[in-house]
Amino acid sequence: MKNTVLSIFLMLCTSIIWSQDITITGNVKEASFKEPLPGVNVIVKSSVNGTTTDFDGNFILSNISKGDILVFSYLGFVTTERIVAEATTISIVLQEDVSALDEVVVVGYGTSTKKELTGAVTVVGAESIEDLNPTQIEQALQGQVAGVQITSGSGSPGAASNIRIRGISTNGDNRPLILVDGNVIEDLSVVNPSDIESMNILKDATAGIYGVRAANGVILITTKTGKKNTDLKFSYDVYGGFQQTSRKIPVLNATEYGVLINEAHAAAGSANPYPDVSGLGTGTDWQDEVFQKAAVVNHNLSISGGSKKSTYSFGSSLLTQNGIVGGPKANFRRFTNRINFTTDILENLKLTTNAIYTGTNRKTLSENALGSVLFNALNNAPTLAVRDANNEYTISEGLGNEVINPLAQVNDTYNKNDVSKLSGKIGLRYSFLNDFTLESSYQFNYAEVKIKDFKPAVFYGSGKVFNVDRNNIKEEKNIYKDYTFDTFLNYNKDLGKVHNVKATLGMSVFRTRGQLASETGYDVEGNNFQNASISNASDVVNNFLNGGDKFDARLLSYFTRLQYNYKGKYLLSGIIRRDGSTAFGPNNRFGYFPSGSLGWIVSDEAFLADSKTVSFLKLRGSYGIVGNDRIEANAYRSVLSGEGTYVFSNNLVFGKAVGILSNPEIKWEEQKTLDIGIDVKLFNNKIDITADYFKKRTEDLLVQPPVSGILGAAAPGSQAPFVNAGTVENEGLEFAIGYNYDKGGDFSFGVNYNITLLENKVVSVNNGIGYIAGGDFGVGQEPPSRMEDGKPLGYFYGLQTDGVFQNQTEIDDHATQANAAPGDLKFVDVNDDGVIDADDRTDIGSPIPDATMGLNISMDYKQWDFGAYAFASIGNDIVRNYERNQILVNKSVYTLNRWTGEGSTNVYPRVTTGATSNTNFSSYYVEDGSFIRLQNVQIGYTLTPNVIDKLGIDKLRFYISANNLFTLTEYKGYDPSASSGDPIGAGIDNGFYPVPRTYLLGLNLKF
């Protein structure tokens, strides 16, 4: 009995101790700047016990038991839960809810919430950019945004990428319009990615509010700013690491090379150049000699804060990057300074200012061309050493006129390109009569580009095209400046409780001017870069005659937009813009471009109000016409930009002549765009789906018809006139889906996938012959790419192969093919005329992918974070054009599978020094360029709140990352993602500089 009573007593004591009420104190901050959040709701889950944080983000909550769950919620932030354990003091960091429907999005001369958007707009936030640590902004778009394709023109430091939004719309300039805080810029390489707060990509006709040049889409970049009523905050980010080539092309070693060279000579009845191949060994691996590990280091410091009326933000960064080819000879250095400042001059008058200074210094090597460094590394003979017995670079004799020692080429390359650019904006916003806001802003860009290129006198071998007899120095100084003045009036009025009307009326003035000047001097004393200057040259030409070439272009625009919604769920928007451009003659200078869009928020209807599945559902559609003036300057009039030779007193005098033949009737290219989309959020916003069907038809493309040389179009510097005579169509589907799991505990997970299906087709080319040719292949061959009715823009036009001739009988039974012998490529007689000739060329591939896609995965567990993303391109073809057709050049290892006799192969032709048709452009050189690339993998660790509090900082995160980790592709070349970006001539690989693989170690510090 005593034992029973004692047991009951102990159980009661234990229960009392366990259920003893405790008091929790804590602090709540937001994640970005670690600023305190006042007014956060703190509630014990499944109870009415709760409180809110004070002005400093602090709270006190009593009557709490161990095991209770505290719920922290605040508008615009992700709700977070915390289980009460032993600690009575806790710190909470709330993450911004980037998927919130009331998130404000910049859409052009104003803002909108995500919920109200009726156009195809994608937002990329600062967090996504920080996770990738890109050296250039384009890398943050690659695979992240449906409908946006990024191709690399080169992997060399500082090289710009090609951006295409929803396909290639014109045979001219396909770049999207890019604005940084309202400033028009042409090159994203001058912007520091760490300065970006968000990027908004406008993909459909609603981009028409920006008028000219918006036909190719718009990228709006907003840089980071301070927040009102916040203390001075510092953020320092740094990373460093190294880069290396992501791929080498397997080529023959010296022994394999000797065997095949002997075989090729024997096939033509010539003596063997290498009677004894046994002593050749492996020889020189020229790619190993050329490629190297290259350092990359980036520092970024930002300061922000704000008072009751003002905000300020300052950022400074320094990026230094060497090349994986050439090292310091291919260096890129970028220095940026940014400042943003806003203040409320009066309660209803706000001043906004910002400025960005960028200084870049870039050194380059010859790349992606016949005779480039990598071209020579692939084609140089492995039997040659890097240096001879006298320690001089070896001479590459017998390898053709273009192939030289690539190490000597690097050593003798001296150039630098310095760019100083200042961009700024000052604007005023005045609110009056409750519903009206008047805004005016002045934006400017000023850039100086100084180029210095020195070519020392050098001898690379007999007949080499790169031999220099007289050293020379070329100096350029180019100045670019522009300004934009915008004024617009916004009206926002709620009529009753169900109607909302927004209206915008404004005008925009844009002017861009520039001066391009250069001079060349010869015979610099000492034949070295240290003495290389015009002042040290003995013979100077082109001495900035008449101040150099100048240009001056202007735009004048008027625009209006009307937005209406009924009950917040029926949405309507209409835009009309009148644009005038000096690119066109007086008769066609102005154009009118309307667009409209509709939206229906279905989830606000009564029949979905109680749905536990559909959290949000919106249907939207848009249609409009957008103009494009990105055409050749002065195409409507004749200017003296050609070269003229005249006879005076029996002497030849060189002067100027008419350049492009004039056509005063040219007019705007017009793009007609249809978009139908749906936005869906399911299961309490855990699943996010966006889908779009789009169709873009660009009419009145400017093309050049063939004209008689009698008109002067064949003279040096002259061209045929431009006429409006082309139509291109892009049709496709975009689909994006994301899933996010976050219950406020120690673990969160997210995965996002997007895919774009695209069909590009040229509808018409009415230039008299029905096509436009472009691109280069080999030496002396006709252009391999075409723009032609019914085909993709820039498709490949050549002979179709049908295996390899196995014996003479097959040759006799086949259409007549010049110089054909067993082991040669067999070409298809497309027109069935019995002869293989240029008329048998046909469609043998397209550089435009059928589909592009991206996959992003993120995971957080306690203090650890993990992220990875991959992207893919499916269905694009690429031309292998980095192999020189010369007798003694090296070859890729696939030539070991060559034809050696009947039945040996039906794919790879024989080797011979004799004349064949094997080198003619054909499908043999066109490969599937499809690929899947793991672009980024990153693992990070953030110190716990207890530790950082002791250190007196707000955040300290360490991370390691790997970029371009691997690429899965069947393409034999360096990089299947590379492209020149030319509408007609893309996808031709002359030895693209590969995008490097990068390993980084970095930290993020906030205090």
Side-chain angles (χ1 to χ4, degrees):
M1 183 66 178
K2 290 182 180 180
N3 291 335
T4 304
V5 173
L6 180 61
S7 299
I8 295 172
F9 176 76
L10 290 175
M11 290 176 61
L12 289 173
C13 290
T14 303
S15 176
I16 292 171
I17 293 172
W18 179 252
S19 62
Q20 182 179 0
D21 290 337
I22 60 176
T23 298
I24 297 293
T25 61
N27 180 267
V28 182
K29 297 179 179 180
E30 52 86 27
S32 299
F33 297 91
K34 295 301 183 295
E35 295 297 334
L37 284 176
V40 176
N41 293 314
V42 185
I43 300 174
V44 178
K45 193 170 186 179
S46 301
S47 78
V48 294
N49 185 16
T51 184
T52 59
T53 58
D54 61 17
F55 182 79
D56 296 317
N58 298 319
F59 70 91
I60 300 175
L61 191 57
S62 303
N63 300 322
I64 306 297
S65 300
K66 293 178 182 179
D68 283 348
I69 299 175
L70 302 184
V71 180
F72 299 83
S73 61
Y74 192 67
L75 182 63
F77 289 80
V78 177
T79 299
T80 299
E81 297 181 355
R82 177 69 64 86
I83 300 175
V84 177
E86 297 292 337
T88 58
T89 301
I90 61 175
S91 296
I92 299 295
V93 178
L94 295 185
Q95 301 285 340
E96 289 190 60
D97 186 0
V98 296
S99 64
L101 295 176
D102 57 355
E103 179 185 353
V104 175
V105 178
V106 177
V107 292
Y109 304 106
T111 59
S112 180
T113 64
K114 273 192 171 184
K115 183 176 181 179
E116 295 174 340
L117 287 176
T118 52
V121 181
T122 300
V123 179
V124 178
E127 186 176 349
S128 298
I129 299 172
E130 290 173 359
D131 287 345
L132 298 174
N133 297 305
T135 57
Q136 292 181 299
I137 299 171
E138 298 96 314
Q139 298 165 352
L141 294 173
Q142 195 169 42
Q144 300 282 320
V145 181
V148 177
Q149 183 190 10
I150 309 293
T151 57
S152 172
S154 167
S156 62
S161 298
N162 308 302
I163 305 175
R164 301 290 179 261
I165 298 178
R166 290 186 169 179
I168 301 174
S169 301
T170 173
N171 58 307
D173 191 341
N174 279 273
R175 291 173 299 168
L177 176 65
I178 303 171
L179 298 103
V180 178
D181 291 332
N183 284 31
V184 176
I185 66 169
E186 300 292 346
D187 185 2
L188 278 173
S189 66
V190 301
V191 180
N192 173 24
S194 297
D195 286 337
I196 297 177
E197 180 65 31
S198 68
M199 287 192 293
N200 299 344
I201 297 90
L202 281 59
K203 297 183 285 188
D204 66 348
T206 56
I209 187 66
Y210 283 108
V212 294
R213 297 184 295 179
N216 300 320
V218 179
I219 298 176
L220 305 177
I221 296 176
T222 303
T223 60
K224 295 176 180 177
T225 61
K227 295 184 178 181
K228 289 184 178 181
N229 298 311
T230 58
D231 295 330
L232 178 64
K233 292 292 181 180
F234 293 85
S235 176
Y236 174 64
D237 302 317
V238 60
Y239 63 75
F242 67 91
Q243 300 179 308
Q244 62 185 35
T245 183
S246 55
R247 195 173 192 184
K248 285 176 54 183
I249 297 176
V251 294
L252 303 178
N253 63 34
T255 301
E256 295 167 336
Y257 168 83
V259 170
L260 263 72
I261 292 299
N262 286 342
E263 183 178 317
H265 280 76
S270 303
N272 291 343
Y274 300 97
D276 181 12
V277 298
S278 61
L280 294 178
T282 58
T284 301
D285 188 324
W286 289 100
Q287 291 180 86
D288 277 350
E289 297 293 337
V290 166
F291 284 123
Q292 58 183 271
K293 289 184 178 179
V296 55
V297 179
N298 183 74
H299 299 271
N300 184 74
L301 174 67
S302 62
I303 302 170
S304 65
S307 63
K308 184 177 180 180
K309 292 185 177 182
S310 304
T311 67
Y312 57 87
S313 176
F314 171 79
S316 183
S317 72
L318 175 63
L319 169 71
T320 303
Q321 182 182 6
N322 280 340
I324 59 174
V325 176
K329 280 294 187 77
N331 174 268
F332 177 69
R333 184 176 181 271
R334 181 186 66 214
F335 174 70
T336 66
N337 275 326
R338 169 193 56 83
I339 186 168
N340 290 350
F341 176 74
T342 67
T343 187
D344 297 335
I345 301 175
L346 300 172
E347 185 177 352
N348 59 343
L349 180 62
K350 181 177 181 178
L351 171 69
T352 300
T353 61
N354 61 65
I356 300 176
Y357 169 79
T358 305
T360 62
N361 177 279
R362 188 180 182 215
K363 300 175 183 178
T364 59
L365 298 170
S366 175
E367 58 182 80
N368 192 31
L370 193 71
S372 67
V373 174
L374 287 178
F375 178 92
N376 289 322
L378 290 170
N379 288 279
N380 211 18
T383 53
L384 294 174
V386 175
R387 294 179 180 269
D388 59 21
N390 298 320
N391 203 33
E392 300 291 337
Y393 287 110
T394 54
I395 302 299
S396 302
E397 294 286 9
L399 302 180
N401 296 335
E402 302 86 17
V403 180
I404 62 176
N405 186 322
L407 277 301
Q409 184 180 17
V410 171
N411 181 72
D412 296 327
T413 300
Y414 302 94
N415 64 67
K416 62 178 183 178
N417 185 324
D418 296 325
V419 179
S420 296
K421 183 174 183 179
L422 179 65
S423 301
K425 175 183 177 181
I426 182 169
L428 288 172
R429 178 179 179 180
Y430 177 64
S431 302
F432 61 99
L433 298 178
N434 296 324
D435 307 317
F436 292 90
T437 304
L438 178 64
E439 292 191 45
S440 292
S441 65
Y442 176 82
Q443 306 144 31
F444 70 91
N445 292 289
Y446 178 85
E448 287 188 4
V449 180
K450 296 179 181 179
I451 301 173
K452 185 176 181 179
D453 187 9
F454 174 65
K455 290 182 172 57
V458 65
F459 177 76
Y460 291 114
S462 304
K464 301 295 185 181
V465 295
F466 301 109
N467 290 339
V468 179
D469 297 326
R470 299 174 65 193
N471 71 54
N472 59 84
I473 175 70
K474 182 178 181 180
E475 294 184 359
E476 297 182 36
K477 182 178 181 180
N478 304 325
I479 297 176
Y480 305 87
K481 47 189 175 182
D482 64 62
Y483 72 83
T484 304
F485 177 74
D486 292 327
T487 295
F488 54 96
L489 178 68
N490 280 328
Y491 172 76
N492 188 345
K493 181 70 173 178
D494 288 321
L495 304 175
K497 297 182 179 181
V498 295
H499 304 281
N500 175 261
V501 177
K502 296 179 182 178
T504 300
L505 178 65
M507 66 169 294
S508 179
V509 179
F510 174 78
R511 184 182 186 184
T512 179
R513 292 175 292 164
Q515 179 174 300
L516 315 176
S518 66
E519 53 186 347
T520 303
Y522 293 88
D523 301 326
V524 173
E525 184 179 354
N527 193 39
N528 58 56
F529 187 63
Q530 288 71 27
N531 293 334
S533 67
I534 294 297
S535 59
N536 287 334
S538 62
D539 184 9
V540 179
V541 296
N542 298 328
N543 190 19
F544 297 126
L545 293 175
N546 300 319
D549 294 327
K550 299 180 180 180
F551 66 88
D552 189 343
R554 283 153 286 171
L555 303 170
L556 174 63
S557 304
Y558 303 94
F559 55 87
T560 184
R561 174 176 57 200
L562 177 65
Q563 297 169 279
Y564 168 77
N565 75 67
Y566 176 69
K567 292 186 177 180
K569 57 184 177 181
Y570 306 111
L571 313 172
L572 168 69
S573 178
I575 299 169
I576 185 167
R577 181 156 175 149
R578 182 177 187 260
D579 287 313
S581 172
T582 55
F584 307 103
N587 295 335
N588 299 301
R589 183 152 292 169
F590 283 89
Y592 290 87
F593 306 104
S595 62
S597 58
L598 297 169
W600 176 28
I601 303 177
V602 186
S603 54
D604 281 357
E605 299 291 352
F607 58 82
L608 282 178
D610 298 324
S611 174
K612 295 182 179 180
T613 301
V614 179
S615 307
F616 177 77
L617 172 61
K618 177 172 64 177
L619 304 177
R620 49 183 169 77
S622 66
Y623 179 81
I625 302 173
V626 184
N628 181 31
D629 77 331
R630 292 195 173 194
I631 64 171
E632 194 83 25
N634 298 303
Y636 74 92
R637 60 182 176 180
S638 297
V639 294
L640 297 177
S641 58
E643 300 176 17
T645 304
Y646 306 92
V647 179
F648 291 101
S649 301
N650 294 322
N651 294 317
L652 292 178
V653 178
F654 299 96
K656 293 287 187 178
V658 172
I660 300 175
L661 300 184
S662 66
N663 177 10
E665 298 304 317
I666 60 173
K667 58 183 180 179
W668 293 82
E669 293 184 356
E670 291 187 347
Q671 184 183 107
K672 300 176 180 178
T673 301
L674 170 68
D675 183 276
I676 300 173
I678 181 172
D679 302 316
V680 185
K681 294 180 184 292
L682 304 175
F683 305 112
N684 197 24
N685 298 323
K686 286 185 174 61
I687 297 178
D688 193 339
I689 299 173
T690 298
D692 285 87
Y693 164 80
F694 64 88
K695 187 172 184 179
K696 299 195 303 183
R697 183 183 177 95
T698 308
E699 300 177 346
D700 292 325
L701 268 65
L702 288 161
V703 301
Q704 291 178 288
V707 297
S708 171
I710 298 175
L711 299 177
S718 297
Q719 297 181 42
F722 281 92
V723 296
N724 294 97
T727 301
V728 172
E729 194 170 87
N730 288 276
E731 186 175 13
L733 292 171
E734 293 175 3
F735 178 79
I737 183 170
Y739 171 77
N740 288 283
Y741 171 85
D742 186 356
K743 288 191 175 181
D746 291 332
F747 178 76
S748 64
F749 172 78
V751 58
N752 294 275
Y753 171 78
N754 68 79
I755 182 172
T756 302
L757 305 176
L758 176 71
E759 181 182 5
N760 175 280
K761 182 176 66 175
V762 176
V763 178
S764 64
V765 182
N766 299 318
N767 64 345
I769 57 175
Y771 68 87
I772 302 172
D776 296 289
F777 178 82
V779 177
Q781 298 198 40
E782 293 189 26
S785 301
R786 282 193 173 187
M787 174 183 178
E788 186 176 1
D789 297 4
K791 300 291 185 180
L793 183 58
Y795 82 101
F796 302 130
Y797 184 72
L799 297 171
Q800 180 68 53
T801 60
D802 185 25
V804 175
F805 287 118
Q806 299 297 321
N807 49 54
Q808 187 61 43
T809 301
E810 287 188 7
I811 297 173
D812 295 338
D813 294 340
H814 189 261
T816 303
Q817 184 172 317
N819 301 317
D824 287 340
L825 293 174
K826 183 194 304 183
F827 300 122
V828 176
D829 184 14
V830 173
N831 61 0
D832 292 324
D833 65 352
V835 178
I836 302 298
D837 54 21
D839 293 335
D840 292 303
R841 290 178 296 170
T842 185
D843 181 356
I844 55 174
S846 169
I848 301 176
D850 299 320
T852 55
M853 60 190 75
L855 176 66
N856 303 268
I857 298 174
S858 61
M859 217 180 308
D860 293 336
Y861 177 69
K862 293 186 177 180
Q863 306 306 120
W864 292 93
D865 62 85
F866 170 82
Y869 95 90
F871 66 91
S873 177
I874 308 298
N876 56 295
D877 296 308
I878 191 166
V879 174
R880 189 178 70 252
N881 191 36
Y882 49 79
E883 300 162 330
R884 186 67 176 100
N885 176 34
Q886 288 289 344
I887 295 174
L888 296 177
V889 299
N890 201 5
K891 305 181 188 307
S892 298
V893 294
Y894 69 79
T895 55
L896 295 174
N897 300 319
R898 69 209 176 278
W899 186 90
T900 55
E902 186 170 350
S904 56
T905 180
N906 199 36
V907 178
Y908 299 104
R910 65 187 176 124
V911 293
T912 179
T913 61
T916 71
S917 300
N918 294 338
T919 58
N920 289 345
F921 180 57
S922 68
S923 57
Y924 176 70
Y925 298 98
V926 179
E927 297 185 24
D928 182 2
S930 302
F931 67 91
I932 300 175
R933 172 171 291 170
L934 181 57
Q935 180 60 27
N936 181 269
V937 176
Q938 184 172 144
I939 299 175
Y941 178 80
T942 303
L943 298 186
T944 62
N946 293 335
V947 175
I948 64 174
D949 286 343
K950 292 178 182 179
L951 295 174
I953 58 178
D954 294 324
K955 178 182 179 181
L956 180 57
R957 174 179 177 265
F958 300 93
Y959 65 88
I960 57 174
S961 72
N963 296 315
N964 190 19
L965 202 56
F966 64 80
T967 302
L968 302 177
T969 182
E970 295 184 355
Y971 178 57
K972 298 184 180 71
Y974 281 122
D975 194 342
S977 70
S979 175
S980 67
D982 298 328
I984 309 174
I988 299 174
D989 185 357
N990 299 312
F992 278 119
Y993 192 124
V995 175
R997 180 178 296 124
T998 306
Y999 299 95
L1000 298 176
L1001 173 65
L1003 67 84
N1004 310 123
L1005 171 64
K1006 298 181 187 294
F1007 58 96

